[in-house]
């Protein structure tokens, strides 16, 4: 469980480094998006037959980072939409 949390934090941090621009996300949001990305990466790697969902492998890690980058983009879009609707 602790390894899963650490992996989610690493994946979230890498995703923030890869995504251009400044993100207004805290550590908890980065962790949660990284965890979601790692689950998505594990599921896709499992579907491709490269390992278990919670098993650390290269393909799952790469897909997890890509999924986390996409999730950060979605989170920014939702946060931006919420700020626009308040005005």
């Amino acid at each position: 469980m602790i390894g899963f949390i650490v992996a989610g934090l690493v994946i979230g941090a890498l995703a923030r480094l890869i995504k251009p621009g400044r993100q207004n996300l805290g550590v908890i949001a980065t962790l949660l998006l990284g965890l979601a990305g790692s689950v998505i990466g594990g599921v896709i790697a499992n579907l491709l037959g490269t390992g278990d969902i919670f098993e650390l492998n290269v393909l799952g890690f790469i897909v997890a980072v890509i999924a986390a980058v996409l999730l950060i983009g979605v989170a920014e879009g939702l946060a931006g939409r919420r700020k626009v609707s308040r005005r």
Side-chain angles (χ1 to χ4, degrees):
M1 187 66 154
I2 293 173
F4 186 61
I5 292 171
V6 170
L9 191 56
V10 169
I11 289 168
L14 282 173
R16 285 186 66 178
L17 288 173
I18 291 170
K19 179 134 179 23
R22 186 175 188 281
Q23 298 92 29
N24 292 325
L25 299 173
V27 175
I28 300 297
T30 301
L31 173 65
L32 293 175
L33 292 172
L35 287 172
S38 67
V39 169
I40 292 169
V43 168
I44 291 173
N46 186 25
L47 291 174
L48 294 175
T50 61
D52 191 28
I53 292 175
F54 297 110
E55 182 180 314
L56 183 62
N57 59 41
V58 176
L59 180 64
F61 186 80
I62 292 169
V63 173
V65 172
I66 293 169
V69 168
L70 295 174
L71 289 172
I72 287 173
V74 169
E76 286 180 327
L78 292 176
R81 184 179 307 169
R82 203 172 336 149
K83 287 181 184 177
V84 170
S85 66
R86 287 185 182 176
R87 291 181 185 179

